Amino acid sequence: MTKQNNTPIFPFTAIVGQEEMKLALELNVIDPKIGGVMIMGDRGTGKSTTIRAIADLLPEIEVIKDDPFNRHPAEENEGKIETEFIKIPMIDLPLGATEDRVCGTIDIEKALTEGVKAFEPGLLAKANRGILYVDEVNLLDDHLVDILLDSAASGWNTVEREGISVRHPAQFVLVGSGNPEEGELRPQLLDRFGMHAEIRTVKDPDLRVKIVEERTLFDLNPHAWVDKYKDQQDCLKQKIIDAQKLLDKIEMPYDFRVKISQVCSELDVDGLRGDIVTNRAAKAYTAFHGGTAVSIKDIEKIIVLCLRHRLRKDPLESIDSGYKVKKLFDEIFDID
């Protein structure tokens, strides 16, 4: 049985421009271990539309029927279980959400009187095996951002109340967006996001007209507009599935790995997260384009996305546009 969602979503392949944001989302879907993406840009640049569109593009997943954690049938060992297919969950985290709403709550009274762990799942449970989207993440309480990042990194959420502990799977791609005018995330939190995409308002008048026309036509007849892009959507969906299957077979020359670490070292990037994410993203990009071995061009396409947000040491300093990363990459990889 498949759950149907009848409300059409603007097709991902119909989105004009914003290539950096689209690429970051595609690569995180291919390899969720990249660690999510932070999307910073002006208001009204299609951040939410694009993020919802990538979720709609993803293949359905098989889950245990009525399971609050969307677990795969293989995770349940007790007897015969009923399964169903659902669209990959796309969960919005509202700005005013409390910790209980995010993590879930334990009914202490029920636990003590009836001797059962009465756990009410939160948004992290619903987001398992899906995408968790936090708009205006830069306005979210730092403590909550910490919880989200910890769960995204470990794949688990633990709730503890009065000596009672509940742990459940919480594997998701964390996508944050925000407007830099309203403040940046602290560098320590920003560094935890795998990639950082910057988007700007389109300046070209012809392109602006095209974007407005596409949106207007979609609003007039959403179903017809979705049908128009069906072949392109199916093609991209298959490309993502093929890349996921190919990912483990991708090889990267040792020399390239050393040079990536040299770039990170000379940029004074703290820790090794930058090295790891750049390696992962380069392999995902190679797989996305059907290759088997990472090339210098593949690394060039993703390295700014992976490192630009890791250079900032002072919270008041603005994020480098990527010029420093690109300049050093060209020097170390000997690009003319």
Side-chain angles (χ1 to χ4, degrees):
M1 172 185 167
T2 299
K3 288 183 181 173
Q4 291 294 338
N5 179 4
N6 294 320
T7 311
I9 289 173
F10 195 83
F12 190 82
T13 49
I15 292 165
V16 179
Q18 310 301 10
E19 300 305 323
E20 195 173 272
M21 168 168 59
K22 290 194 286 193
L23 178 62
L25 289 168
E26 287 163 343
L27 297 183
N28 269 279
V29 164
I30 290 165
D31 183 3
K33 288 193 172 75
I34 285 171
V37 56
M38 179 69 186
I39 299 165
M40 291 299 270
D42 306 327
R43 286 181 293 273
T45 45
K47 296 189 288 288
S48 301
T49 301
T50 309
I51 293 156
R52 290 190 175 88
I54 191 81
D56 190 55
L57 188 68
L58 302 180
E60 293 184 329
I61 53 170
E62 188 178 9
V63 299
I64 299 166
K65 194 173 188 323
D66 298 326
D67 182 66
F69 311 115
N70 305 319
R71 286 177 302 168
H72 191 278
E75 294 178 53
E76 182 59 74
N77 303 318
E78 295 176 17
K80 193 174 187 320
I81 48 169
E82 203 178 337
T83 67
E84 63 183 338
F85 282 87
I86 63 166
K87 284 200 77 66
I88 280 193
M90 162 80 193
I91 304 299
D92 275 305
L93 190 141
L95 193 56
T98 61
E99 185 177 337
D100 283 350
R101 176 91 176 90
V102 174
C103 300
T105 55
I106 298 171
D107 186 333
I108 301 296
E109 190 178 342
K110 195 170 183 182
L112 294 174
T113 56
E114 298 178 29
V116 293
K117 283 184 181 175
F119 180 60
E120 183 64 38
L123 294 174
L124 292 181
K126 290 179 179 162
N128 187 37
R129 298 177 69 201
I131 295 172
L132 183 64
Y133 172 45
V134 190
D135 193 11
E136 309 289 5
V137 68
N138 45 334
L139 301 181
L140 200 65
D141 181 71
D142 280 352
H143 172 60
L144 271 183
V145 179
D146 256 335
I147 290 171
L148 295 177
L149 290 163
D150 282 342
S151 295
S154 68
W156 292 90
N157 172 44
T158 305
V159 183
E160 293 181 339
R161 298 284 185 277
E162 311 293 334
I164 298 166
S165 179
V166 174
R167 187 170 182 256
H168 70 77
Q171 296 177 321
F172 52 84
V173 175
L174 181 62
V175 181
S177 69
N179 180 349
E181 289 174 10
E182 290 160 354
E184 296 277 8
L185 271 182
R186 286 191 290 122
Q188 300 93 312
L189 293 175
L190 201 52
D191 173 65
R192 301 271 296 277
F193 281 90
M195 293 178 140
H196 186 286
E198 284 188 357
I199 52 177
R200 295 277 172 262
T201 303
V202 174
K203 301 294 184 199
D204 182 275
D206 291 333
L207 207 51
R208 287 174 78 113
V209 168
K210 188 178 180 194
I211 294 168
V212 172
E213 284 176 352
E214 297 255 323
R215 185 72 220 192
T216 306
L217 289 167
F218 171 77
D219 290 338
L220 283 172
N221 193 340
H223 289 283
W225 197 246
V226 168
D227 287 345
K228 177 185 169 184
Y229 280 91
K230 187 177 185 308
D231 288 349
Q232 289 181 47
Q233 291 281 100
D234 288 346
C235 182
L236 182 54
K237 187 184 284 190
Q238 192 57 52
K239 197 176 169 186
I240 287 171
I241 292 168
D242 292 345
Q244 287 172 330
K245 290 175 183 169
L246 194 59
L247 196 57
D248 290 340
K249 301 181 182 73
I250 304 296
E251 295 185 358
M252 183 186 287
Y254 177 74
D255 179 44
F256 289 178
R257 298 203 297 272
V258 171
K259 285 181 174 177
I260 286 170
S261 289
Q262 190 181 341
V263 171
C264 293
S265 174
E266 292 194 23
L267 286 171
D268 198 23
V269 171
D270 289 337
L272 294 173
R273 199 173 276 126
D275 309 49
I276 293 165
V277 169
T278 306
N279 277 274
R280 279 194 174 281
K283 287 182 177 180
Y285 185 86
T286 303
F288 189 42
H289 290 86
T292 52
V294 175
S295 70
I296 290 177
K297 285 283 180 199
D298 295 337
I299 301 168
E300 186 177 20
K301 285 285 185 186
I302 55 88
I303 196 162
V304 170
L305 280 168
C306 298
L307 298 182
R308 66 146 66 94
H309 57 303
R310 304 179 197 278
L311 312 189
R312 196 164 61 111
K313 301 289 188 271
D314 178 357
L316 300 175
E317 186 186 333
S318 64
I319 291 177
D320 179 79
S321 65
Y323 171 76
K324 277 185 195 169
V325 179
K326 181 72 174 70
K327 185 170 180 285
L328 193 59
F329 169 83
D330 288 349
E331 284 174 18
I332 288 172
F333 279 82
D334 200 23
I335 307 285
D336 292 331

mmCIF file of all heavy atoms in Angstrom, residues 215-237:
data_model
loop_
_atom_site.group_PDB
_atom_site.id
_atom_site.type_symbol
_atom_site.label_atom_id
_atom_site.label_comp_id
_atom_site.label_asym_id
_atom_site.label_seq_id
_atom_site.Cartn_x
_atom_site.Cartn_y
_atom_site.Cartn_z
ATOM 1 N N ARG A 215 6.466 30.324 -12.228
ATOM 2 C CA ARG A 215 5.690 30.230 -10.986
ATOM 3 C C ARG A 215 4.213 30.528 -11.252
ATOM 4 O O ARG A 215 3.327 29.859 -10.700
ATOM 5 C CB ARG A 215 6.253 31.224 -9.967
ATOM 6 C CG ARG A 215 5.618 31.140 -8.597
ATOM 7 C CD ARG A 215 6.047 29.888 -7.871
ATOM 8 N NE ARG A 215 4.942 29.280 -7.147
ATOM 9 C CZ ARG A 215 5.101 28.312 -6.253
ATOM 10 N NH1 ARG A 215 6.296 27.829 -6.005
ATOM 11 N NH2 ARG A 215 4.071 27.810 -5.624
ATOM 12 N N THR A 216 3.938 31.527 -12.098
ATOM 13 C CA THR A 216 2.555 31.897 -12.410
ATOM 14 C C THR A 216 1.824 30.751 -13.092
ATOM 15 O O THR A 216 0.696 30.411 -12.734
ATOM 16 C CB THR A 216 2.526 33.155 -13.324
ATOM 17 O OG1 THR A 216 3.281 34.199 -12.691
ATOM 18 C CG2 THR A 216 1.103 33.642 -13.540
ATOM 19 N N LEU A 217 2.482 30.122 -14.070
ATOM 20 C CA LEU A 217 1.868 29.002 -14.786
ATOM 21 C C LEU A 217 1.622 27.815 -13.854
ATOM 22 O O LEU A 217 0.603 27.127 -13.958
ATOM 23 C CB LEU A 217 2.758 28.580 -15.967
ATOM 24 C CG LEU A 217 2.810 29.577 -17.136
ATOM 25 C CD1 LEU A 217 3.940 29.239 -18.087
ATOM 26 C CD2 LEU A 217 1.487 29.605 -17.878
ATOM 27 N N PHE A 218 2.549 27.577 -12.949
ATOM 28 C CA PHE A 218 2.380 26.494 -11.978
ATOM 29 C C PHE A 218 1.159 26.756 -11.091
ATOM 30 O O PHE A 218 0.340 25.863 -10.853
ATOM 31 C CB PHE A 218 3.639 26.351 -11.112
ATOM 32 C CG PHE A 218 3.472 25.407 -9.951
ATOM 33 C CD1 PHE A 218 3.494 24.029 -10.152
ATOM 34 C CD2 PHE A 218 3.274 25.884 -8.651
ATOM 35 C CE1 PHE A 218 3.333 23.143 -9.080
ATOM 36 C CE2 PHE A 218 3.112 25.012 -7.584
ATOM 37 C CZ PHE A 218 3.136 23.634 -7.799
ATOM 38 N N ASP A 219 1.034 27.995 -10.609
ATOM 39 C CA ASP A 219 -0.092 28.339 -9.733
ATOM 40 C C ASP A 219 -1.437 28.229 -10.449
ATOM 41 O O ASP A 219 -2.446 27.890 -9.847
ATOM 42 C CB ASP A 219 0.083 29.758 -9.162
ATOM 43 C CG ASP A 219 1.226 29.833 -8.162
ATOM 44 O OD1 ASP A 219 1.593 28.771 -7.609
ATOM 45 O OD2 ASP A 219 1.768 30.930 -7.946
ATOM 46 N N LEU A 220 -1.453 28.537 -11.768
ATOM 47 C CA LEU A 220 -2.689 28.460 -12.551
ATOM 48 C C LEU A 220 -3.174 27.019 -12.708
ATOM 49 O O LEU A 220 -4.363 26.740 -12.599
ATOM 50 C CB LEU A 220 -2.485 29.076 -13.942
ATOM 51 C CG LEU A 220 -2.469 30.608 -14.015
ATOM 52 C CD1 LEU A 220 -2.056 31.065 -15.405
ATOM 53 C CD2 LEU A 220 -3.863 31.166 -13.670
ATOM 54 N N ASN A 221 -2.227 26.114 -12.988
ATOM 55 C CA ASN A 221 -2.609 24.718 -13.198
ATOM 56 C C ASN A 221 -1.478 23.797 -12.719
ATOM 57 O O ASN A 221 -0.689 23.294 -13.525
ATOM 58 C CB ASN A 221 -2.921 24.474 -14.681
ATOM 59 C CG ASN A 221 -3.611 23.144 -14.902
ATOM 60 O OD1 ASN A 221 -3.546 22.254 -14.058
ATOM 61 N ND2 ASN A 221 -4.275 22.997 -16.038
ATOM 62 N N PRO A 222 -1.407 23.558 -11.403
ATOM 63 C CA PRO A 222 -0.279 22.789 -10.837
ATOM 64 C C PRO A 222 -0.127 21.394 -11.441
ATOM 65 O O PRO A 222 0.980 20.959 -11.733
ATOM 66 C CB PRO A 222 -0.612 22.712 -9.350
ATOM 67 C CG PRO A 222 -1.591 23.803 -9.096
ATOM 68 C CD PRO A 222 -2.333 24.003 -10.357
ATOM 69 N N HIS A 223 -1.248 20.677 -11.625
ATOM 70 C CA HIS A 223 -1.172 19.294 -12.099
ATOM 71 C C HIS A 223 -0.587 19.222 -13.514
ATOM 72 O O HIS A 223 0.249 18.370 -13.813
ATOM 73 C CB HIS A 223 -2.551 18.632 -12.057
ATOM 74 C CG HIS A 223 -3.017 18.362 -10.662
ATOM 75 N ND1 HIS A 223 -2.545 17.303 -9.907
ATOM 76 C CD2 HIS A 223 -3.880 19.047 -9.850
ATOM 77 C CE1 HIS A 223 -3.111 17.323 -8.704
ATOM 78 N NE2 HIS A 223 -3.922 18.375 -8.647
ATOM 79 N N ALA A 224 -1.026 20.151 -14.387
ATOM 80 C CA ALA A 224 -0.512 20.171 -15.760
ATOM 81 C C ALA A 224 0.973 20.523 -15.776
ATOM 82 O O ALA A 224 1.757 19.980 -16.559
ATOM 83 C CB ALA A 224 -1.295 21.191 -16.600
ATOM 84 N N TRP A 225 1.354 21.431 -14.879
ATOM 85 C CA TRP A 225 2.759 21.861 -14.813
ATOM 86 C C TRP A 225 3.667 20.723 -14.342
ATOM 87 O O TRP A 225 4.756 20.511 -14.877
ATOM 88 C CB TRP A 225 2.874 23.066 -13.873
ATOM 89 C CG TRP A 225 4.153 23.819 -14.031
ATOM 90 C CD1 TRP A 225 5.154 23.937 -13.118
ATOM 91 C CD2 TRP A 225 4.590 24.548 -15.177
ATOM 92 N NE1 TRP A 225 6.178 24.682 -13.615
ATOM 93 C CE2 TRP A 225 5.859 25.083 -14.883
ATOM 94 C CE3 TRP A 225 4.042 24.803 -16.428
ATOM 95 C CZ2 TRP A 225 6.581 25.849 -15.787
ATOM 96 C CZ3 TRP A 225 4.748 25.568 -17.326
ATOM 97 C CH2 TRP A 225 6.000 26.085 -17.012
ATOM 98 N N VAL A 226 3.183 19.967 -13.370
ATOM 99 C CA VAL A 226 3.941 18.814 -12.867
ATOM 100 C C VAL A 226 4.080 17.764 -13.974
ATOM 101 O O VAL A 226 5.151 17.177 -14.169
ATOM 102 C CB VAL A 226 3.251 18.229 -11.608
ATOM 103 C CG1 VAL A 226 3.832 16.870 -11.251
ATOM 104 C CG2 VAL A 226 3.403 19.186 -10.423
ATOM 105 N N ASP A 227 2.995 17.530 -14.729
ATOM 106 C CA ASP A 227 3.032 16.559 -15.841
ATOM 107 C C ASP A 227 4.055 16.963 -16.897
ATOM 108 O O ASP A 227 4.750 16.119 -17.460
ATOM 109 C CB ASP A 227 1.651 16.430 -16.499
ATOM 110 C CG ASP A 227 0.671 15.661 -15.618
ATOM 111 O OD1 ASP A 227 1.147 14.997 -14.670
ATOM 112 O OD2 ASP A 227 -0.543 15.746 -15.864
ATOM 113 N N LYS A 228 4.156 18.261 -17.141
ATOM 114 C CA LYS A 228 5.081 18.782 -18.154
ATOM 115 C C LYS A 228 6.533 18.417 -17.826
ATOM 116 O O LYS A 228 7.351 18.172 -18.707
ATOM 117 C CB LYS A 228 4.923 20.306 -18.243
ATOM 118 C CG LYS A 228 5.876 20.987 -19.217
ATOM 119 C CD LYS A 228 5.729 22.497 -19.152
ATOM 120 C CE LYS A 228 6.861 23.183 -19.909
ATOM 121 N NZ LYS A 228 6.816 24.645 -19.786
ATOM 122 N N TYR A 229 6.844 18.372 -16.539
ATOM 123 C CA TYR A 229 8.228 18.097 -16.110
ATOM 124 C C TYR A 229 8.443 16.639 -15.685
ATOM 125 O O TYR A 229 9.502 16.307 -15.160
ATOM 126 C CB TYR A 229 8.614 19.042 -14.957
ATOM 127 C CG TYR A 229 8.996 20.415 -15.450
ATOM 128 C CD1 TYR A 229 8.040 21.422 -15.573
ATOM 129 C CD2 TYR A 229 10.311 20.707 -15.821
ATOM 130 C CE1 TYR A 229 8.380 22.680 -16.051
ATOM 131 C CE2 TYR A 229 10.657 21.961 -16.287
ATOM 132 C CZ TYR A 229 9.692 22.944 -16.403
ATOM 133 O OH TYR A 229 10.035 24.184 -16.868
ATOM 134 N N LYS A 230 7.440 15.794 -15.912
ATOM 135 C CA LYS A 230 7.508 14.414 -15.418
ATOM 136 C C LYS A 230 8.747 13.671 -15.933
ATOM 137 O O LYS A 230 9.453 13.018 -15.166
ATOM 138 C CB LYS A 230 6.241 13.647 -15.804
ATOM 139 C CG LYS A 230 6.198 12.255 -15.164
ATOM 140 C CD LYS A 230 4.919 11.516 -15.481
ATOM 141 C CE LYS A 230 4.852 10.189 -14.747
ATOM 142 N NZ LYS A 230 6.031 9.337 -14.910
ATOM 143 N N ASP A 231 9.041 13.772 -17.225
ATOM 144 C CA ASP A 231 10.188 13.048 -17.788
ATOM 145 C C ASP A 231 11.503 13.522 -17.177
ATOM 146 O O ASP A 231 12.369 12.711 -16.829
ATOM 147 C CB ASP A 231 10.236 13.205 -19.313
ATOM 148 C CG ASP A 231 9.128 12.405 -19.999
ATOM 149 O OD1 ASP A 231 8.493 11.583 -19.311
ATOM 150 O OD2 ASP A 231 8.889 12.622 -21.200
ATOM 151 N N GLN A 232 11.649 14.850 -17.041
ATOM 152 C CA GLN A 232 12.878 15.391 -16.439
ATOM 153 C C GLN A 232 13.006 14.971 -14.977
ATOM 154 O O GLN A 232 14.095 14.636 -14.504
ATOM 155 C CB GLN A 232 12.873 16.928 -16.525
ATOM 156 C CG GLN A 232 13.074 17.460 -17.938
ATOM 157 C CD GLN A 232 13.079 18.986 -17.951
ATOM 158 O OE1 GLN A 232 13.748 19.619 -17.147
ATOM 159 N NE2 GLN A 232 12.339 19.576 -18.875
ATOM 160 N N GLN A 233 11.869 14.972 -14.267
ATOM 161 C CA GLN A 233 11.872 14.562 -12.859
ATOM 162 C C GLN A 233 12.274 13.092 -12.728
ATOM 163 O O GLN A 233 13.110 12.737 -11.896
ATOM 164 C CB GLN A 233 10.473 14.764 -12.245
ATOM 165 C CG GLN A 233 10.072 16.217 -12.074
ATOM 166 C CD GLN A 233 10.689 16.874 -10.856
ATOM 167 O OE1 GLN A 233 11.664 17.598 -10.951
ATOM 168 N NE2 GLN A 233 10.131 16.621 -9.689
ATOM 169 N N ASP A 234 11.670 12.241 -13.572
ATOM 170 C CA ASP A 234 11.977 10.802 -13.534
ATOM 171 C C ASP A 234 13.443 10.543 -13.849
ATOM 172 O O ASP A 234 14.086 9.681 -13.244
ATOM 173 C CB ASP A 234 11.090 10.040 -14.530
ATOM 174 C CG ASP A 234 9.639 9.968 -14.063
ATOM 175 O OD1 ASP A 234 9.395 10.264 -12.875
ATOM 176 O OD2 ASP A 234 8.768 9.635 -14.883
ATOM 177 N N CYS A 235 13.972 11.313 -14.801
ATOM 178 C CA CYS A 235 15.375 11.163 -15.216
ATOM 179 C C CYS A 235 16.312 11.521 -14.059
ATOM 180 O O CYS A 235 17.266 10.794 -13.766
ATOM 181 C CB CYS A 235 15.632 12.058 -16.430
ATOM 182 S SG CYS A 235 17.296 11.921 -17.073
ATOM 183 N N LEU A 236 16.027 12.642 -13.378
ATOM 184 C CA LEU A 236 16.866 13.072 -12.258
ATOM 185 C C LEU A 236 16.737 12.101 -11.080
ATOM 186 O O LEU A 236 17.728 11.773 -10.416
ATOM 187 C CB LEU A 236 16.492 14.494 -11.825
ATOM 188 C CG LEU A 236 17.324 15.106 -10.686
ATOM 189 C CD1 LEU A 236 18.809 15.050 -10.986
ATOM 190 C CD2 LEU A 236 16.896 16.542 -10.404
ATOM 191 N N LYS A 237 15.523 11.615 -10.832
ATOM 192 C CA LYS A 237 15.303 10.649 -9.753
ATOM 193 C C LYS A 237 16.149 9.389 -9.989
ATOM 194 O O LYS A 237 16.803 8.893 -9.076
ATOM 195 C CB LYS A 237 13.813 10.282 -9.683
ATOM 196 C CG LYS A 237 13.451 9.412 -8.497
ATOM 197 C CD LYS A 237 11.982 8.989 -8.518
ATOM 198 C CE LYS A 237 11.062 10.103 -8.112
ATOM 199 N NZ LYS A 237 9.659 9.625 -7.912
#
